[in-house]
Amino acid sequence: MSSYDENESKLMRKARENPFVPVGIAGFLAIVGYRLMKMRSRGDTKMSLHLIHMRVAAQGFVVGSMTIGVLYSMYRDYIVKPREEKAAKNK
């Protein structure tokens, strides 16, 4: 049995749990699209070198987005949640 609603896709569930997932996907697609359009005016640069630069830029954006997402999740779980629990105990 799944732990989420049957009508909800896994991507939508992940996007709600961690808002940096769609940011990473959108950034990846934007970088790849930009570099593919720029490929026409690459001049005398080799195709393989251009593709390597595109891959490194896209992967760097995704890794950066994942890192920010993990830091946000840790902040939420270890700083915000204990404060809320402590405030609830004091009431």
Side-chain angles (χ1 to χ4, degrees):
M1 212 60 189
S2 64
S3 64
Y4 59 94
D5 189 31
E6 295 296 325
N7 296 330
E8 186 178 31
S9 71
K10 188 174 182 179
L11 178 65
M12 294 305 292
R13 181 175 55 90
K14 286 285 186 186
R16 195 170 347 115
E17 290 174 3
N18 189 353
F20 293 98
V21 170
V23 171
I25 293 170
F28 174 81
L29 293 175
I31 290 171
V32 169
Y34 171 73
R35 295 297 285 197
L36 287 174
M37 287 190 314
K38 195 176 174 186
M39 194 179 330
R40 290 183 181 170
S41 64
R42 71 179 190 271
D44 60 349
T45 306
K46 290 184 179 180
M47 175 71 91
S48 62
L49 186 61
H50 182 75
L51 293 175
I52 288 171
H53 288 166
M54 178 174 58
R55 179 183 63 92
V56 168
Q59 283 180 332
F61 188 87
V62 170
V63 169
S65 177
M66 288 173 55
T67 302
I68 291 171
V70 167
L71 292 173
Y72 173 73
S73 177
M74 289 174 62
Y75 170 76
R76 190 178 61 210
D77 291 343
Y78 295 111
I79 295 175
V80 174
K81 199 180 264 187
R83 285 182 187 169
E84 290 173 355
E85 291 172 358
K86 187 176 181 181
K89 285 182 182 179
N90 290 338
K91 285 186 177 182

